[in-house]
Amino acid sequence: MDYVNIIIPFVGGLGMFIYGMQIMAQGLENAAGNKMKSLLEVLTKNKLMGVLLGAAITAVIQSSSATTVMVVGFVNAGIMNLSQAMGVIMGANVGTTVTGWLVSSVEWAEFLSPSKLAPIAVMLGVVIMLIGKRRSSKEIASIIVGFGLLFIGITTMSSAVAPLQDSESFRNIFVTLGSSPILGILAGALVTAVIQSSSASVGILQSLAAAGLVPFSAAIYIIMGQNIGTCVTAMLSSMGAKKNAKTAALMHLLFNIIGTVIFSVIAIIYFEVLNPSAGTGVITQTEISMVHTAFNIGTTVLLFPMSNWIIRLAKKIGRVEEAEQDKSKVLLDDRILETPVIALQSTVKEVARMGRIVEDSLDVARNVLFTKSHDDIQFLKDEESTVDRLSAGITAYSIKLSSLQISEREHQDVAHLLQMVSDIERISDYCENISEFAETLYEKKVTFSDIGKEQLEEMLDVCIDSYKYALRAFVEGSREMALKVIEKETKADDLEITLRSRHIKRLTNNQCNTEAGIVFLDTLVCLERISDHARNIAEEVLEQIA
């Protein structure tokens, strides 16, 4: 038998299958757009929501490995705790069954015959890609082309292995895998670990099944092994990460191993004791999809009540305890960049978190000039250091994000975020300046006059409110809030001129302490600039939602 003419087309078909799957997944991911972005909103919900989230993301990006790698990134960044991660991991196993059903559809949907539909799909997608001008057209074209290439790939693989139907030795290999559960599981795990995609591994199995080469029992054990092999990607990804992230990858491995052990015992009892003849029959592509889906859903349903126990076991093996998150640590991870739309939404959330830290600083700065509290002065200095670290980390991450293959709109969103980060960081600097002014007042044992204090409180209220409206405008995407910022900033400009003029008259008439008066004027400058930066943020929001 000419194995060269079998292996080369088979490998080429596998490459086309994987490439088509990636193109289709990218198109689906881009088309999902805002829906994908909003998925992060449910991360704080219960574990069942996590399962649904994991299934949804994996169904879109068509890779449980990529989803789990992303989960490792979330845990490493501190965005997700281990309980939330467990739910997403379980859901990822369910979502990965979608590709298998696409492949097997050629058996239960005649009109999806690859020989007829795949070339048409590729040609249609290319035409749309060439003539379509809108972004949505390009995304639809990617989905259609990827769909066609996926089917051409699976057809090429099936055709390549067809001559093996006459090979007694090749058939004996699968008979051996079917009669030896451990060998079958190891074979599935090894192939999946090498190509790092359970969807592609299932596709290979289905192409062999189409040639009538795979016994039912062998397929069962290989599928179980594939679920273990897909854990390799996440385990490799967790290398160099924090213990919590390594524990998330370990949870994925334990979940699949426990599920495999349970269902392998059931399969052995059925094939060896209850119905030995059932394992010798040849399995079809559709039956592989059914087994794959039943195994993954069954494992999730069975182990869902035991998920907390799996988390505890993984933590015990990994010797980890979840610690309180350091708020100065940037909650972003390079692993999340595998899915740019979610990485962008994570960046938005991190900018909002940075913004809330500065909001807290402004609340303290509102009174520190009058109380001259040492604790408040130190708090503002510490918070400024925290914001500096966040600003540097978010900026570096945003630059990495902008270098990826993202849409023009997403490039613009990243540019807006970078500008907002700069403005928020500058406002934090002014909060530190105010703390230094308070320190000066304390050291020189001076204070503002009653009228000076009253006027400064008025300016503080206007400028701090302008920032709070700006932050709300950013978080909520609110045009109304952004317009309020512009209104407040205009008022702050006028107020700064008025109060400066009045204060200079008081200084001229010796109605206030000179040293306190200098601090008063410097504070007016800081507050007016805070309102300027708040307006900058509002204008970025208005451009974004235009």
Side-chain angles (χ1 to χ4, degrees):
M1 186 171 289
D2 188 356
Y3 288 103
V4 172
N5 287 330
I6 293 175
I7 294 172
I8 292 177
F10 182 84
V11 171
L14 175 61
M16 197 175 298
F17 176 85
I18 294 174
Y19 183 59
M21 189 168 61
Q22 288 181 341
I23 291 177
M24 186 168 65
Q26 187 63 54
L28 285 166
E29 184 181 323
N30 292 336
N34 291 329
K35 292 180 181 178
M36 282 285 284
K37 293 178 184 180
S38 65
L39 286 175
L40 279 181
E41 298 297 333
V42 303
L43 289 181
T44 55
K45 307 297 182 183
N46 59 42
K47 202 175 295 177
L48 179 59
M49 292 299 290
V51 173
L52 298 176
L53 173 67
I57 291 178
T58 307
V60 171
I61 64 177
Q62 302 208 1
S63 172
S64 60
S65 297
T67 302
T68 310
V69 167
M70 196 160 50
V71 167
V72 171
F74 281 137
V75 173
N76 194 52
I79 297 173
M80 187 185 288
N81 61 39
L82 292 176
S83 180
Q84 293 165 336
M86 187 74 240
V88 178
I89 286 168
M90 290 188 287
N93 276 23
V94 176
T96 196
T97 61
V98 171
T99 308
W101 282 107
L102 282 175
V103 172
S104 65
S105 63
V106 298
E107 291 183 343
W108 48 268
E110 284 288 330
F111 67 93
L112 289 177
S113 171
S115 59
K116 299 175 183 176
L117 187 63
I120 296 173
V122 172
M123 192 60 216
L124 178 62
V126 170
V127 170
I128 294 173
M129 196 175 292
L130 291 174
I131 66 175
K133 302 299 181 184
R134 298 175 60 183
R135 177 188 169 192
S136 57
S137 299
K138 303 290 186 183
E139 289 159 359
I140 292 170
S142 293
I143 295 170
I144 296 173
V145 169
F147 184 76
L149 288 177
L150 184 149
F151 276 111
I152 292 174
I154 199 72
T155 304
T156 304
M157 285 194 290
S158 299
S159 300
V161 297
L164 294 175
Q165 294 178 63
D166 302 323
S167 173
E168 193 65 30
S169 58
F170 199 80
R171 284 179 174 278
N172 289 336
I173 291 173
F174 279 99
V175 171
T176 302
L177 293 177
S179 60
S180 176
I182 293 177
L183 286 178
I185 292 169
L186 287 175
L190 182 61
V191 171
T192 308
V194 169
I195 62 177
Q196 296 196 19
S197 171
S198 61
S199 296
S201 182
V202 170
I204 292 173
L205 186 63
Q206 287 178 305
S207 69
L208 294 169
L213 295 167
V214 188
F216 210 98
S217 57
I220 298 288
Y221 300 132
I222 290 170
I223 288 169
M224 293 180 189
Q226 288 168 340
N227 271 35
I228 295 175
T230 196
C231 299
V232 169
T233 308
M235 294 298 292
L236 290 173
S237 173
S238 69
M239 293 176 66
K242 294 190 307 183
K243 283 189 175 181
N244 261 7
K246 291 178 180 177
T247 303
L250 190 58
M251 283 169 7
H252 185 214
L253 181 62
L254 286 173
F255 175 74
N256 284 336
I257 287 176
I258 293 169
T260 296
V261 169
I262 293 171
F263 282 93
S264 291
V265 170
I266 294 173
I268 290 169
I269 293 172
Y270 181 76
F271 290 131
E272 299 296 329
V273 179
L274 299 179
N275 192 358
S277 62
T280 59
V282 175
I283 196 168
T284 65
Q285 291 180 318
T286 303
E287 286 170 337
I288 287 175
S289 298
M290 292 171 65
V291 170
H292 189 214
T293 303
F295 171 59
N296 283 318
I297 292 178
T299 302
T300 300
V301 171
L302 187 64
L303 297 185
F304 185 85
M306 301 168 56
S307 57
N308 288 333
W309 178 83
I310 294 173
I311 294 170
R312 286 196 295 271
L313 178 60
K315 289 170 72 173
K316 187 172 183 180
I317 294 173
R319 298 178 182 177
V320 64
E321 292 294 334
E322 291 190 79
E324 185 178 345
Q325 180 66 50
D326 176 8
K327 69 178 181 179
S328 69
K329 185 183 186 304
V330 180
L331 305 184
L332 296 168
D333 191 282
D334 287 353
R335 296 167 185 82
I336 308 171
L337 292 170
E338 292 289 330
T339 310
V341 289
I342 293 184
L344 178 58
Q345 183 65 5
S346 299
T347 308
V348 169
K349 286 180 170 292
E350 194 64 353
V351 174
R353 185 173 75 91
M354 176 182 166
R356 285 189 288 271
I357 291 173
V358 174
E359 184 178 27
D360 292 340
S361 294
L362 283 169
D363 286 335
V364 173
R366 186 191 297 271
N367 298 311
V368 73
L369 287 166
F370 312 125
T371 64
K372 299 183 278 290
S373 163
H374 176 74
D375 288 344
D376 287 347
I377 291 170
Q378 190 57 48
F379 173 83
L380 291 173
K381 290 181 178 180
D382 290 343
E383 292 296 86
E384 204 283 323
S385 296
T386 295
V387 171
D388 278 350
R389 288 193 290 272
L390 289 176
S391 174
I394 294 170
T395 299
Y397 192 83
S398 298
I399 291 170
K400 290 180 185 176
L401 179 56
S402 66
S403 68
L404 301 177
Q405 290 185 337
I406 56 178
S407 69
E408 182 59 33
R409 177 57 188 269
E410 287 163 341
H411 273 294
Q412 292 173 1
D413 288 342
V414 173
H416 288 307
L417 287 175
L418 285 168
Q419 183 57 55
M420 290 181 198
V421 167
S422 176
D423 285 309
I424 293 170
E425 194 276 330
R426 291 297 294 134
I427 292 172
S428 177
D429 288 341
Y430 289 124
C431 288
E432 184 183 36
N433 289 347
I434 291 172
S435 75
E436 291 169 353
F437 299 155
E439 207 166 23
T440 299
L441 293 173
Y442 175 80
E443 290 171 355
K444 295 188 175 182
K445 295 182 172 55
V446 293
T447 189
F448 301 121
S449 63
D450 289 343
I451 186 66
K453 180 180 177 182
E454 182 182 325
Q455 291 178 351
L456 205 53
E457 284 178 337
E458 183 182 5
M459 186 70 173
L460 280 160
D461 287 343
V462 172
C463 295
I464 292 174
D465 284 351
S466 70
Y467 174 75
K468 290 190 174 186
Y469 284 136
L471 186 59
R472 280 189 62 187
F474 167 60
V475 172
E476 299 171 11
S478 170
R479 179 181 177 81
E480 180 186 355
M481 289 294 111
L483 293 176
K484 280 188 176 183
V485 176
I486 294 173
E487 180 185 328
K488 287 283 183 183
E489 194 275 334
T490 302
K491 183 177 179 180
D493 285 347
D494 295 339
L495 195 57
E496 192 267 343
I497 294 170
T498 302
L499 296 183
R500 175 179 294 276
S501 176
R502 291 176 183 176
H503 186 68
I504 289 173
K505 286 181 181 179
R506 288 198 301 275
L507 283 172
T508 303
N509 296 329
N510 293 320
Q511 292 177 319
C512 63
N513 181 281
T514 302
E515 290 178 331
I518 293 171
V519 171
F520 182 95
L521 293 173
D522 287 343
T523 303
L524 284 182
V525 172
C526 277
L527 292 174
E528 192 275 331
R529 287 177 181 169
I530 285 172
S531 72
D532 286 343
H533 287 290
R535 178 169 182 148
N536 290 345
I537 294 169
E539 288 174 346
E540 293 291 333
V541 171
L542 288 174
E543 283 186 30
Q544 231 174 348
I545 63 179

